[in-house]
Amino acid sequence: MSAHRVAMAVLAASALLLPGAQPAQAGTARQSTTGPAATDRSGYHVLTLRRAAPRDLRIGTAAAGGGHHVDQPYPDPFTYDEPYRRVLAHEFNSVSPENQMKWEFIHPERHTYNFGPADAIVKFARRHGQVVRGHTLLWHSQNPAWLQEGQFTKDELRAILKEHIVTVVGHYRGKIQQWDVANEILNENGEYRQENIFIRELGPGIVADAFRWAHQADPKAQLFLNDYGVEWPGAKVDAYEALAKQLLADRVPLRGFASQAHLSTRYGAPDQLAAVLQRFDALGLHTAITELDVRMDLPESGVPTAEQLQTQATYYKTVLDACLAVAGCNSFTIWGFTDKYSWVPVFFPSEGAATVMWDDFGRKPAYYALRNTLAAAHWGR
């Protein structure tokens, strides 16, 4: 039996473990009896994630491209994979460029900007009634060599950062709903990351400047702090709460705090996430889930067991439940929707199967866990 057939058999079996879940076969997705339904090309009614979601919650995904994809044996996914683009348009009403807005991609040389790939995503989103989350402006990783290895004075470095933020945010003025302005700026112990060239050379005060410059470039965009490892209370969350309070006290235009939620079944489900988000909601900030995936250790066959798929579905649902429980959590994004283009096996070689769909876009129990939970929140089912 092929790996695909094994996967489908496992999926069908695991669907029995989840109320309302259905196997990933064309036309078998459950139709809502109380809300709107979409119709796929074969004429079957399909309740998608974006249609199931409450109206005040955006359901998003990363648009695959750039980064690790450049080294893979396939063309740029967003540009060339038409079935992928159809699912992206059909299932989601929010899109995050996976790598296409990161420094090394969008600003490859000091005086050169590469807006084309990100422009294509923004155009796609507008055509399909989707908002865009901008990602990211101030980060320690995926910076170009000219920046990381350049010999700049502090004044030059500050000017470089300001020019980048004003240029990039200004280019997309009025077209981006939310920006991850400061990304992964704190270590697990709550101290500032010294790997971040701007924080190391210019000091932590540069974070407030980055928010102010982004706000000047696009006053309507919601500006976020974004990080991983903030799904449980601890030193990192405490430090972000203190930082948020200070920024707000200083009238910095901070509008939100986001949990990336890159998870692994090696660790427990984030059952305290709602309480974490509530702490920032209490400050008057929006909250968001921005990069959710749930990786797992795969058997030798490479195909998850039914038990693993059910555990994964539980993790996805736990994170969604946390967002739904907090009034100001208005954006929920999974970091890619198909294993075909997932970043996880590249960076975690012993783990995989982290998304809600198989390589052929067949739906896993995690997909149905999200869809059914969204429908219940939307229509009280």
Side-chain angles (χ1 to χ4, degrees):
M1 181 179 290
S2 69
H4 173 77
R5 289 182 180 273
V6 171
M8 293 300 101
V10 168
L11 179 58
S14 62
L16 299 176
L17 303 175
L18 197 67
Q22 299 293 328
Q25 298 175 1
T28 61
R30 181 178 178 185
Q31 179 185 357
S32 167
T33 57
T34 57
T39 303
D40 69 13
R41 291 190 302 163
S42 61
Y44 289 96
H45 292 293
V46 178
L47 180 62
T48 62
L49 296 176
R50 66 184 289 177
R51 285 177 174 266
R55 289 184 175 83
D56 60 350
L57 179 64
R58 292 286 184 169
I59 300 299
T61 187
H68 71 279
H69 299 288
V70 175
D71 300 321
Q72 301 303 308
Y74 49 69
D76 177 71
F78 173 80
T79 305
Y80 288 97
D81 191 331
E82 286 302 325
Y84 172 88
R85 289 165 66 90
R86 286 195 293 271
V87 176
L88 176 63
H90 198 54
E91 292 282 354
F92 304 96
N93 55 20
S94 176
V95 181
S96 300
E98 184 178 12
N99 297 287
Q100 298 91 333
M101 287 184 175
K102 293 174 181 174
W103 270 74
E104 68 177 2
F105 202 92
I106 205 168
H107 198 171
E109 302 293 340
R110 184 171 180 182
H111 301 295
T112 302
Y113 288 87
N114 176 29
F115 288 118
D119 285 353
I121 293 172
V122 172
K123 183 178 180 180
F124 177 93
R126 290 171 71 87
R127 187 165 68 248
H128 293 98
Q130 300 166 316
V131 298
V132 180
R133 295 196 78 259
H135 179 77
T136 177
L137 300 174
L138 180 68
W139 193 28
H140 68 277
S141 184
Q142 289 185 248
N143 289 325
W146 70 264
L147 173 64
Q148 289 294 118
E149 301 170 9
Q151 301 298 314
F152 304 112
T153 66
K154 292 183 185 300
D155 286 344
E156 287 173 330
L157 198 59
R158 177 181 173 84
I160 287 170
L161 178 61
K162 180 178 181 180
E163 183 226 284
H164 175 89
I165 291 176
V166 170
T167 300
V168 173
V169 177
H171 181 82
Y172 295 106
R173 183 184 179 106
K175 299 177 181 179
I176 302 291
Q177 183 198 40
Q178 300 177 343
W179 270 105
D180 292 328
V181 175
N183 192 53
E184 301 175 6
I185 60 172
L186 300 181
N187 288 317
E188 301 310 304
N189 61 6
E191 296 179 355
Y192 283 94
R193 275 186 182 271
Q194 294 307 298
E195 304 100 302
N196 187 307
I197 185 173
F198 299 108
I199 291 175
R200 182 180 69 244
E201 300 300 326
L202 303 176
I206 197 63
V207 174
D209 290 332
F211 276 92
R212 290 189 176 104
W213 293 331
H215 181 68
Q216 290 168 7
D218 188 352
K220 293 185 178 181
Q222 299 169 11
L223 307 181
F224 274 69
L225 294 165
N226 186 53
D227 212 330
Y228 68 89
V230 293
E231 292 74 43
W232 293 268
K236 197 173 190 178
V237 171
D238 293 344
Y240 267 118
E241 184 177 22
L243 173 60
K245 289 179 178 178
Q246 186 61 57
L247 292 174
L248 293 172
D250 293 340
R251 298 183 180 274
V252 174
L254 170 67
R255 294 293 177 265
F257 173 81
S259 164
Q260 293 180 8
H262 289 297
L263 305 176
S264 171
T265 56
R266 292 180 178 182
Y267 314 104
D271 54 5
Q272 300 181 65
L273 177 56
V276 170
L277 297 179
Q278 188 60 52
R279 289 165 62 173
F280 294 90
D281 186 86
L283 300 178
L285 296 175
H286 295 295
T287 55
I289 305 300
T290 54
E291 303 179 29
L292 173 61
D293 49 31
V294 182
R295 61 189 187 270
M296 62 182 80
D297 293 285
L298 298 176
E300 289 186 10
S301 66
V303 181
T305 65
E307 182 179 4
Q308 286 181 307
L309 291 169
Q310 177 59 27
T311 299
Q312 181 185 59
T314 299
Y315 278 50
Y316 269 97
K317 185 179 186 302
T318 298
V319 177
L320 178 56
D321 282 339
C323 181
L324 291 170
V326 178
C329 189
N330 58 9
S331 183
F332 182 90
T333 297
I334 59 178
W335 206 239
F337 56 86
T338 171
D339 291 341
K340 184 177 183 180
Y341 299 129
S342 173
W343 72 289
V344 168
V346 178
F347 292 88
F348 298 90
S350 63
E351 297 179 89
T355 73
V356 300
M357 295 184 188
W358 304 104
D359 287 5
D360 64 356
F361 311 115
R363 295 163 175 81
K364 299 179 188 176
Y367 171 90
Y368 293 104
L370 293 181
R371 197 197 64 179
N372 294 348
T373 301
L374 290 168
H378 191 166
W379 294 297
R381 291 175 16 159

